[in-house]
Amino acid sequence: MKIWIDISNAPHVRFFNDVIKYFESEGEDVLVTGRKFGDIHKLMDVYGIEFTSVGKHGVTLEEKLKESADRVVELVDLISGEKFDVALSKHSIELPRVAFGLGIPSLFVLDNEHAVAANKLTLPLCNRIITPNIIDMWKLMQYGADPNKILSYNGTSELMHFNNFECNENIFDDLGLDLPLQKTILMRPEPSLASYLNTDCNKSVLSPVVDVLKEYANILILPRFKEQAQIFEGIKNVTILKTPVDTSSIIKKVDLVIGAGGTMNREAAILQTPVISCYPGTTLSVDQFYVNQGLMYRNTDLDDIIDKALKFIVNPSKPKELKTDNLFDIIIENTYDLAKNK
């Protein structure tokens, strides 16, 4: 069986890592493509994933449109004539369009119902859509998704990141971190380059949070790009992490995570590390999944964030049971099923 997997964002490397390795161990022919964006290429190398670099990310709307159009053409030239049996992606804009045009069955993993443009461009073209059951199916149908092609599961996509996770207990020492205070907080700025979030790349909603909490805890900042790193440079008790890095072990070892994004917050919830989401956009359903289970606190008010953060680092929350479906098995089974019934 020939499988095409397209990776368009850094977290998707970890998401597909075990899937890629499994199919390769089964003797399947797997082609992985990845665009130039963030740490995608670095992470592919870290995980030992062979890939073909195709296209890059655009910043402005005009650049996004042009880069996506160019990437479609490049992917068509690469994929056509290769007789792929199935194609897999997670929020890739280009894979569903290329797969549909070339008659390749596609499996699409979705976890953001607010990415309007991306969902309108992709969901109507997918043969099967795997999505958390907390996301309203009617919302996806408004984007053109066929309800008969939607497969819901209990959980979120971040579950895939920890199939074989073993925490590096010495991660702070290995990174040579200078942590003068007793408590440590990991912070992740907002995804300001994303089309679904209109924010200033030279500012961060985390800045006022850092200004207060730097007096109580070591602050580790994991920026998304150079400009975000510059926002926090030179601040007392603040360390800017250089990527790629073992974020999972860091999340497990810190006392608290405060994130203005999504993925890392949900990873913290799964690892049972106290987490505060101050994501500046509308609350995602996948975040609400963990809020409902008491594994994530969600607020954008500075005073409330500070108050909750201080309570968390003084009195850590107790572990809670988390029951979910096996997303890895769902993806493997549906990939084979799509290829078999194409």
Side-chain angles (χ1 to χ4, degrees):
M1 180 170 68
K2 294 192 69 171
I3 305 169
W4 169 34
I5 297 177
D6 187 43
I7 294 179
S8 58
N9 203 358
H12 305 172
V13 179
R14 278 187 294 168
F15 180 88
F16 280 115
N17 179 54
D18 287 339
V19 171
I20 294 169
K21 300 295 172 56
Y22 174 82
F23 283 132
E24 289 178 340
S25 70
E26 291 295 305
E28 312 297 359
D29 186 359
V30 182
L31 171 68
V32 179
T33 53
R35 65 176 177 171
K36 294 179 181 177
F37 179 49
D39 293 319
I40 291 177
H41 289 184
K42 290 181 181 179
L43 286 170
M44 295 270 219
D45 291 336
V46 168
Y47 284 100
I49 299 173
E50 294 185 8
F51 69 98
T52 300
S53 177
V54 181
K56 59 183 180 179
H57 179 269
V59 177
T60 67
L61 287 177
E62 181 180 359
E63 289 174 350
K64 291 179 189 293
L65 180 58
K66 287 183 176 180
E67 294 297 346
S68 182
D70 289 343
R71 191 164 191 260
V72 165
V73 173
E74 291 182 51
L75 286 170
V76 170
D77 290 341
L78 178 68
I79 300 301
S80 61
E82 292 296 324
K83 297 182 180 180
F84 281 93
D85 297 289
V86 64
L88 281 66
S89 68
K90 183 177 186 289
H91 285 283
S92 166
I93 301 295
E94 294 80 29
L95 180 141
R97 301 169 72 185
V98 173
F100 179 82
L102 297 178
I104 304 170
S106 66
L107 185 153
F108 192 82
V109 180
L110 176 144
D111 60 8
N112 186 344
E113 74 273 32
H114 299 309
V116 178
N119 291 336
K120 285 184 176 181
L121 287 169
T122 55
L123 299 189
L125 305 178
C126 300
N127 296 87
R128 199 160 299 179
I129 302 166
I130 297 178
T131 182
N133 56 20
I134 196 169
I135 291 181
D136 186 358
M137 183 182 296
W138 292 103
K139 183 75 172 180
L140 304 185
M141 290 171 61
Q142 291 175 5
Y143 296 133
D146 183 342
N148 297 311
K149 297 178 179 179
I150 298 175
L151 178 62
S152 298
Y153 68 94
N154 182 44
T156 70
S157 63
E158 288 74 22
L159 294 167
M160 293 283 287
H161 299 178
F162 305 106
N163 288 333
N164 300 297
F165 171 64
E166 293 183 9
C167 180
N168 177 3
E169 299 292 336
N170 301 312
I171 185 65
F172 293 162
D173 291 335
D174 290 350
L175 293 175
L177 298 180
D178 179 20
L179 305 176
L181 302 179
Q182 186 176 4
K183 301 293 184 177
T184 301
I185 302 173
L186 174 64
M187 296 191 189
R188 177 74 156 165
E190 59 271 36
S192 16
L193 293 178
S195 60
Y196 54 82
L197 193 64
N198 184 22
T199 55
D200 190 340
C201 296
N202 298 307
K203 298 180 181 179
S204 176
V205 298
L206 289 178
S207 292
V209 180
V210 171
D211 288 342
V212 176
L213 293 180
K214 67 182 181 182
E215 303 298 333
Y216 301 91
N218 309 298
I219 308 295
L220 305 180
I221 301 288
L222 189 66
R224 297 172 185 272
F225 45 87
K226 182 179 178 181
E227 289 78 7
Q228 278 190 338
Q230 293 173 341
I231 296 172
F232 303 97
E233 286 180 348
I235 302 176
K236 183 182 70 172
N237 295 332
V238 172
T239 300
I240 299 172
L241 299 174
K242 295 182 180 180
T243 57
V245 67
D246 182 0
T247 55
S248 298
S249 292
I250 294 174
I251 291 171
K252 187 66 177 177
K253 294 298 292 182
V254 298
D255 300 284
L256 172 66
V257 172
I258 301 179
T263 300
M264 189 166 294
N265 292 342
R266 296 187 289 274
E267 289 176 334
I270 293 170
L271 291 175
Q272 304 276 319
T273 296
V275 54
I276 299 173
S277 168
C278 55
Y279 175 69
T282 304
T283 303
L284 298 175
S285 295
V286 285
D287 286 345
Q288 193 63 46
F289 175 80
Y290 295 106
V291 172
N292 292 347
Q293 300 194 50
L295 293 170
M296 181 188 296
Y297 179 75
R298 169 94 169 112
N299 210 310
T300 56
D301 180 80
L302 176 60
D303 291 337
D304 285 338
I305 293 172
I306 299 300
D307 179 66
K308 194 67 174 180
L310 293 175
K311 289 180 179 177
F312 271 137
I313 61 178
V314 173
N315 296 304
S317 56
K318 296 181 180 179
K320 298 181 180 181
E321 185 178 11
L322 178 62
K323 293 184 178 180
T324 61
D325 292 332
N326 190 320
L327 181 54
F328 177 83
D329 287 347
I330 292 173
I331 291 174
I332 298 300
E333 292 170 3
N334 279 273
T335 299
Y336 279 118
D337 187 62
L338 271 178
K340 178 182 177 181
N341 296 292
K342 68 175 182 177

